[in-house]
Amino acid sequence: MDQEITIKTLNKFLQGSYMGIHAYERFIKKLQNSTLKDSFIAIQKDQKNHATLISERIQKLGGTPVTSEGIIGKMEAGIVNVVENYNSEEEIIKHAIKGENLYGIKMSEKLVRDKLDEESLNLVHKILDKDREHVDYLKSLLHS
């Protein structure tokens, strides 16, 4: 596996992680329910830990990890802030599920396919498995 491609792919994955971290920041600011807010903070903490693990892997491979979601990610976040106005807890949870499923999991799976060494791929799969747990938990909140 080409190490340069692995580093570039991991950095794109890391940018997506930062997008998720910042999305949860926006959700947390809108939540009034302290229990729900605590749950979102815990998910965001997991995402921050995942970003650290990916950054460390990039460094171990000799690369330099990105430190933000990049200009495209910032533009997308700005558009989401303007277009999507979600206020109820149910709407916030639904947007979090959509973000985790579409951007966090599905796009990441496409991104890393056939572009990572075995150790990097295992790390990404562990992170995506945790993201799936987040989705399941968020879905359970909608049905409780």
Side-chain angles (χ1 to χ4, degrees):
M1 186 57 55
D2 185 329
Q3 199 159 312
E4 192 173 311
I5 291 172
T6 297
I7 291 168
K8 185 176 180 179
T9 302
L10 287 173
N11 264 320
K12 285 184 180 181
F13 182 82
L14 184 56
Q15 285 179 316
S17 296
Y18 287 127
M19 286 177 67
I21 291 165
H22 294 137
Y24 273 94
E25 190 66 43
R26 291 188 300 277
F27 295 145
I28 290 164
K29 286 180 182 177
K30 287 193 171 248
L31 289 170
Q32 303 301 316
N33 177 322
S34 63
T35 304
L36 188 55
K37 187 178 275 199
D38 288 345
S39 295
F40 273 63
I41 290 169
I43 292 171
Q44 185 189 45
K45 183 179 179 184
D46 280 346
Q47 291 184 330
K48 288 177 179 179
N49 289 336
H50 295 158
T52 299
L53 292 170
I54 294 295
S55 293
E56 289 171 354
R57 180 69 187 144
I58 291 167
Q59 289 172 323
K60 186 175 180 184
L61 291 168
T64 303
V66 296
T67 57
S68 75
E69 68 269 28
I71 190 71
I72 302 291
K74 288 179 183 176
M75 288 171 50
E76 286 177 2
I79 291 168
V80 167
N81 272 343
V82 170
V83 173
E84 293 185 356
N85 188 13
Y86 40 86
N87 293 308
S88 75
E89 289 179 354
E90 183 177 339
E91 287 174 323
I92 292 170
I93 294 168
K94 285 180 178 179
H95 283 285
I97 291 168
K98 181 180 176 183
E100 289 267 8
N101 262 332
L102 180 61
Y103 302 111
I105 298 169
K106 288 183 175 84
M107 288 180 77
S108 293
E109 287 173 337
K110 283 183 184 178
L111 170 70
V112 302
R113 190 171 296 129
D114 300 325
K115 294 182 186 157
L116 298 179
D117 62 278
E118 188 174 345
E119 187 175 341
S120 298
L121 187 60
N122 287 337
L123 175 60
V124 168
H125 280 294
K126 285 180 186 174
I127 289 169
L128 294 178
D129 285 345
K130 189 66 176 175
D131 288 344
R132 286 182 189 91
E133 288 177 26
H134 293 156
V135 170
D136 290 343
Y137 174 72
L138 291 167
K139 286 180 179 178
S140 77
L141 293 176
L142 286 178
H143 299 65
S144 59

